[in-house]
Amino acid sequence: MRKRFADGSFRVSSAPYGYSIQNGNLVTNPHEAQIVKQIFDQFLQGSSTGQIAKQLNYEHIPTQRGHHWWSSTIINILRNINYTGDMLCQKTYRDDQYHRHFNQGELAQYLIEEHHPALVSRKNFNKAQELLKQTAQQRNIESGSHKYQQHYLFSGKIICGHCGPTFKRQTRPNKICWACQKHLHSAKLCPVKSVPEKSIQNAFCTMMNKLIFSRKFLLSPLVQELKEHFNDPDGELGRLTNQIKAND
């Protein structure tokens, strides 16, 4: 397979969204190709990956496997160099235990230029990569890990009182909201509606002011109580400390 990668004779066994396979070659799937072009056009015009996914779901356009569109699905399409007509081989690999990994330089990659019909120009593809990079930096996403960092003030701190998951930040046309992740998947899973970020900020500031105002009557006695409990030799911590000493 690697020899075929190197000499350009490798034939794909599965086609990315927008293409079909005929006689071992990638050919354009007209309907899906139009969706790919639409995704790149909308992203370059300023739409977010989440907005694009939502619009495709609203139009009842299925993914390649007949599933719903997600922001991550759109990102994978925008990052796929195959849409320029070039074929990048060995983007992933399997280890000795047959577990698949993203190739981060562990093995050589092979770029076969003009391998199949292009759906996007290299110029627009490169623009999309720059926008994705800027978005990742703004959201403090660790490069290559596909994981979000705790970037926003309320990230991981707002818990749904109805079903338990954390709230997720959403950017909407005229406001920013926080919503239960289950509710975002389906209102049937959780009835708790989204809350404007401004309201959360106001509530947070109000509570902080109350705590500061009542510092003498609430916070100070609480801190003192915690210190006394922490240093109490007859408490749980003291009992465990004595038990450790006895064991030693």
Side-chain angles (χ1 to χ4, degrees):
M1 286 182 67
R2 289 173 185 165
K3 182 178 181 299
R4 291 176 181 174
F5 288 157
D7 62 24
S9 62
F10 174 75
R11 291 196 171 189
V12 295
S13 58
S14 61
Y17 185 86
Y19 293 99
S20 302
I21 297 179
Q22 290 184 6
N23 300 322
N25 298 316
L26 287 179
V27 296
T28 303
N29 179 315
H31 175 69
E32 292 183 357
Q34 187 59 39
I35 301 301
V36 172
K37 293 176 183 178
Q38 175 183 327
I39 289 172
F40 273 88
D41 288 343
Q42 290 181 349
F43 184 69
L44 292 175
Q45 290 170 9
S47 297
S48 69
T49 54
Q51 290 170 338
I52 296 172
K54 186 176 182 180
Q55 181 62 31
L56 292 174
N57 290 328
Y58 178 78
E59 295 174 3
H60 302 290
I61 297 173
T63 63
Q64 191 175 36
R65 297 182 179 180
H67 299 156
H68 275 37
W69 293 87
W70 301 98
S71 177
S72 57
T73 319
I74 303 298
I75 291 174
N76 288 336
I77 285 180
L78 292 171
R79 285 179 174 165
N80 195 338
I81 195 174
N82 293 347
Y83 292 119
T84 64
D86 298 340
M87 172 65 70
L88 182 62
C89 303
Q90 203 155 257
K91 289 183 286 189
T92 62
Y93 68 94
R94 292 186 183 276
D95 59 22
D96 294 338
Q97 284 73 42
Y98 297 97
H99 297 147
R100 184 170 291 280
H101 304 276
F102 285 100
N103 187 356
Q104 302 289 345
E106 293 85 354
L107 297 174
Q109 291 184 321
Y110 303 87
L111 181 66
I112 307 173
E113 295 184 336
E114 299 180 0
H115 177 271
H116 51 270
L119 301 184
V120 179
S121 69
R122 289 188 179 90
K123 181 180 178 180
N124 284 345
F125 179 80
N126 291 333
K127 284 183 179 179
Q129 304 320 297
E130 285 299 318
L131 281 175
L132 286 171
K133 185 178 179 180
Q134 291 174 15
T135 303
Q137 290 173 345
Q138 290 170 359
R139 296 184 178 182
N140 198 20
I141 302 173
E142 184 180 346
S143 177
S145 71
H146 310 287
K147 294 180 180 179
Y148 285 81
Q149 305 301 305
Q150 298 296 310
H151 177 64
Y152 300 106
L153 178 64
F154 300 111
S155 295
K157 296 180 177 66
I158 305 176
I159 311 298
C160 180
H162 181 79
C163 59
T166 56
F167 273 39
K168 183 178 179 182
R169 190 176 189 266
Q170 280 196 314
T171 302
R172 298 184 179 178
N174 297 316
K175 61 180 178 180
I176 296 174
C177 296
W178 290 77
C180 172
Q181 296 190 52
K182 282 191 176 181
H183 180 83
L184 291 176
H185 286 300
S186 172
K188 295 180 180 179
L189 296 176
C190 178
V192 178
K193 296 182 179 180
S194 61
V195 183
E197 186 174 66
K198 192 66 177 176
S199 299
I200 298 175
Q201 290 174 343
N202 291 337
F204 177 80
C205 290
T206 299
M207 182 54 65
M208 283 299 297
N209 288 332
K210 286 184 177 181
L211 289 173
I212 292 171
F213 179 77
S214 58
R215 181 186 189 93
K216 180 179 178 181
F217 307 101
L218 179 62
L219 291 182
S220 295
L222 177 61
V223 170
Q224 185 61 33
E225 183 181 347
L226 290 173
K227 286 181 178 179
E228 291 175 357
H229 179 73
F230 183 81
N231 295 322
D232 183 6
D234 298 325
E236 181 70 9
L237 183 61
R239 186 183 67 79
L240 292 174
T241 302
N242 292 334
Q243 186 176 340
I244 290 173
K245 289 181 179 179
N247 290 338
D248 289 340

